[in-house]
Amino acid sequence: MGKLSLLVSMLMVSCWAVEIQVEDVDTAWQKYLAEFPIKIQTKSEIWFRKSIFSETHNNIAKHNANKDATFEMGHNQFSVMTEDEKQQFFGALLPATPVNISLDVSSRQVATSVDFRTSACMSPVRNQGGCGSCWAFSATAVVEFQKCRKSGFVRVDLSEQQLVDCSRANGCSGGWEHEAWQYLASNGGQDLESRYPYTARAATCTFQNANSPGAQISSTTPVQWIPSGDTNAMMSVLTGGRILSIYMQLPNSFMNYRSGVFNDGACVANNAHAMNIVGYGTLNGIPYWVVRNSWGSSWGASGYILVQRGVDLCMIERYSRTTNVL
């Protein structure tokens, strides 16, 4: 074969490969729009969102092609968002290291595994929307779960909006779970969602102390910090029937998690997020935490993610804490 013929053949193969790649992205884009409809006003907006999607699609394909990967990625609501838009879905503030550790669980025998995802007291996964209120959802989940277990396994739906509006200024710009519990302990407790519904925006506090609260917090020990990095103590709390609030600095790949044990250590300080640990176990020899998120049930594995346990991945084991419900 002459040099010219070889060059033509190579160009044809190259063009064919590019065409196939474009077709793959186009097909994936149409499937994405069918599953995650987005309101697009102009052609320029369509191309802008599709360009973000294309980059996300290529990153997902590259990751999933890695045979050594311990988790799988997939498309979701974040596949077409800019980095600035994604920032609205975080909201955790870096906690200060606690002075006093009041939790003593050293004598408790921990279970081999715990998983409260299917517990009668585990409320459906919430969606914080474009408000940096992850801290309020994490704090509320702990209170709801504990209140349910102390009330004969009767589930209760409490108001995250009360924490957003009342426990600090502009609760959509971030906060701390322990501060939320301290507020509840000093201000009569947490209202019901039915009386104080979530709006995904900060507003004026309308909580009425005269109402019978949905749950009350101990005023003497509203916050119990787990010793930093003490995974055995964390497992002990879960074995004892409580869940934990945690802080993470999320890697970019976290946004498109789908399944498996997440182990990406490329932490991003700006992606600070509060969630809950609701269990632990081992998958394919890798120990993990069961983590509950607040991005809705269409994200991740029905709203949950398995995060590698025992390596303090992106600070997940550094600032864990829980509360005491009366």
Side-chain angles (χ1 to χ4, degrees):
M1 180 182 292
K3 290 183 178 180
L4 180 59
S5 298
L6 179 61
L7 178 60
V8 171
S9 297
M10 290 175 65
L11 286 172
M12 289 178 63
V13 170
S14 176
C15 290
W16 177 79
V18 170
E19 183 180 355
I20 292 299
Q21 185 178 10
V22 170
E23 286 178 350
D24 286 345
V25 172
D26 285 341
T27 300
W29 174 241
Q30 293 304 320
K31 289 180 179 178
Y32 179 83
L33 292 178
E35 186 174 358
F36 300 95
I38 54 179
K39 295 180 180 179
I40 298 177
Q41 302 297 326
T42 64
K43 288 184 178 180
S44 61
E45 175 75 2
I46 292 174
W47 283 107
F48 176 64
R49 295 299 171 182
K50 188 177 179 181
S51 67
I52 298 175
F53 174 85
S54 179
E55 183 179 357
T56 304
H57 185 71
N58 290 334
N59 289 337
I60 290 173
K62 182 179 179 180
H63 172 84
N64 290 346
N66 181 2
K67 62 181 179 61
D68 295 322
T70 63
F71 67 97
E72 184 182 28
M73 296 172 64
H75 286 296
N76 55 35
Q77 66 266 39
F78 297 111
S79 294
V80 296
M81 289 188 189
T82 65
E83 294 306 312
D84 285 343
E85 289 170 336
K86 291 175 184 178
Q87 285 299 311
Q88 299 175 37
F89 292 81
F90 302 130
L93 299 180
L94 183 66
T97 303
V99 177
N100 297 314
I101 303 294
S102 58
L103 187 64
D104 182 12
V105 290
S106 57
S107 61
R108 181 181 294 149
Q109 182 69 34
V110 301
T112 302
S113 64
V114 172
D115 193 339
F116 287 128
R117 281 177 289 183
T118 58
S119 168
C121 286
M122 186 58 66
S123 300
V125 172
R126 314 295 194 200
N127 192 339
Q128 70 187 77
C131 166
S133 56
C134 58
W135 59 276
F137 281 83
S138 178
T140 299
V142 174
V143 178
E144 285 180 340
F145 189 78
Q146 216 177 121
K147 176 65 176 178
C148 175
R149 288 179 65 92
K150 288 195 169 187
S151 303
F153 289 83
V154 177
R155 190 182 294 171
V156 60
D157 189 1
L158 301 176
S159 172
E160 292 88 2
Q161 190 66 40
Q162 178 191 352
L163 299 180
V164 171
D165 293 347
C166 308
S167 70
R168 62 184 291 107
N170 192 10
C172 278
S173 64
W176 292 285
E177 302 93 298
H178 58 278
E179 182 186 73
W181 297 327
Q182 290 165 345
Y183 155 80
L184 293 175
S186 302
N187 290 274
Q190 192 161 6
D191 210 345
L192 297 172
E193 173 73 15
S194 58
R195 285 196 297 244
Y196 205 145
Y198 187 66
T199 64
R201 59 181 182 272
T204 302
C205 179
T206 61
F207 175 64
Q208 299 293 326
N209 283 323
N211 290 334
S212 175
Q216 291 179 294
I217 305 298
S218 167
S219 59
T220 55
T221 53
V223 184
Q224 286 193 306
W225 289 90
I226 285 69
S228 181
D230 191 338
T231 57
N232 194 71
M234 294 169 70
M235 290 188 288
S236 184
V237 170
L238 290 156
T239 297
R242 290 188 289 173
I243 64 175
L244 297 164
S245 284
I246 55 97
Y247 169 92
M248 284 188 73
Q249 295 182 346
L250 306 181
N252 292 324
S253 61
F254 189 99
M255 310 300 289
N256 287 97
Y257 168 86
R258 174 174 288 171
S259 63
V261 180
F262 186 82
N263 66 346
D264 186 353
C267 318
V268 179
N270 286 341
N271 297 350
H273 195 49
M275 296 176 288
N276 299 102
I277 291 181
V278 303
Y280 60 88
T282 303
L283 178 66
N284 297 326
I286 305 174
Y288 64 77
W289 298 113
V290 182
V291 179
R292 171 189 163 104
N293 204 346
S294 53
W295 292 341
S297 59
S298 64
W299 177 86
S302 299
Y304 293 86
I305 180 172
L306 307 182
V307 176
Q308 186 174 4
R309 170 167 52 96
V311 295
D312 193 26
L313 190 74
C314 298
M315 300 187 184
I316 190 173
E317 293 154 5
R318 200 169 305 184
Y319 299 107
S320 62
R321 50 220 190 269
T322 190
T323 190
N324 284 300
V325 175
L326 295 178

